Amino acid sequence: MSCYEIEALRLGLLNVLGTDDDHAREHAEQELEGHLEGPIEALANAETLAAVERHLDAALVDLEAEIAATDADDPEYDYLRGRLVAVRDAERAVHRLTAQGGSVFEGLSEAHDVLHEAFPVEE
């Protein structure tokens, strides 16, 4: 069993962060072999945090639908529910990453304004 959402998220974050980790990329691609379609494929190919968030949300909707269609007596049911918990946790981590990036951006804007207040530019 594999957690397609997590592996696709790892690939998307490798893209967004510009991380060159061939081992991680190869591992995730192997885990996703034959499953790159729909939101999973879009998530794996995401190039922005906004795209990661959007496609992860869509992948979660699909996972919830899969759980709803699975009988509680099915041996895979508990794994699917555990997968949902892990993916929701990853979703919160991505939201924190996005918020932190926004905070850095705002901090740079404030630093820029303070610099111009301290050293006005004559035009």
Side-chain angles (χ1 to χ4, degrees):
M1 290 185 240
S2 182
C3 188
Y4 307 120
E5 298 82 7
I6 297 293
E7 292 302 328
L9 175 59
R10 290 181 52 178
L11 284 174
L13 289 175
L14 284 172
N15 298 336
V16 169
L17 300 173
T19 304
D20 290 328
D21 185 337
D22 292 336
H23 178 71
R25 184 172 296 282
E26 288 170 12
H27 175 78
E29 288 171 348
Q30 286 175 352
E31 291 284 326
L32 291 169
E33 193 169 313
H35 299 280
L36 282 173
E37 58 187 15
I40 297 296
E41 180 179 21
L43 180 57
N45 294 320
E47 295 184 356
T48 66
L49 281 175
V52 165
E53 287 184 311
R54 184 173 62 254
H55 299 307
L56 183 57
D57 186 55
L60 273 163
V61 169
D62 285 358
L63 179 56
E64 289 170 343
E66 183 179 356
I67 292 168
T70 302
D71 189 83
D73 294 334
D74 188 312
E76 199 169 310
Y77 183 75
D78 288 335
Y79 170 73
L80 289 171
R81 288 174 33 115
R83 195 165 117 194
L84 179 64
V85 170
V87 176
R88 288 234 177 260
D89 185 52
E91 179 185 43
R92 284 189 296 278
V94 170
H95 288 311
R96 286 191 306 272
L97 182 60
T98 301
Q100 289 171 346
S103 177
V104 168
F105 181 79
E106 290 301 317
L108 293 171
S109 293
E110 290 174 19
H112 181 251
D113 291 345
V114 168
L115 184 61
H116 280 287
E117 286 175 14
F119 303 98
V121 176
E122 293 182 28
E123 295 192 29

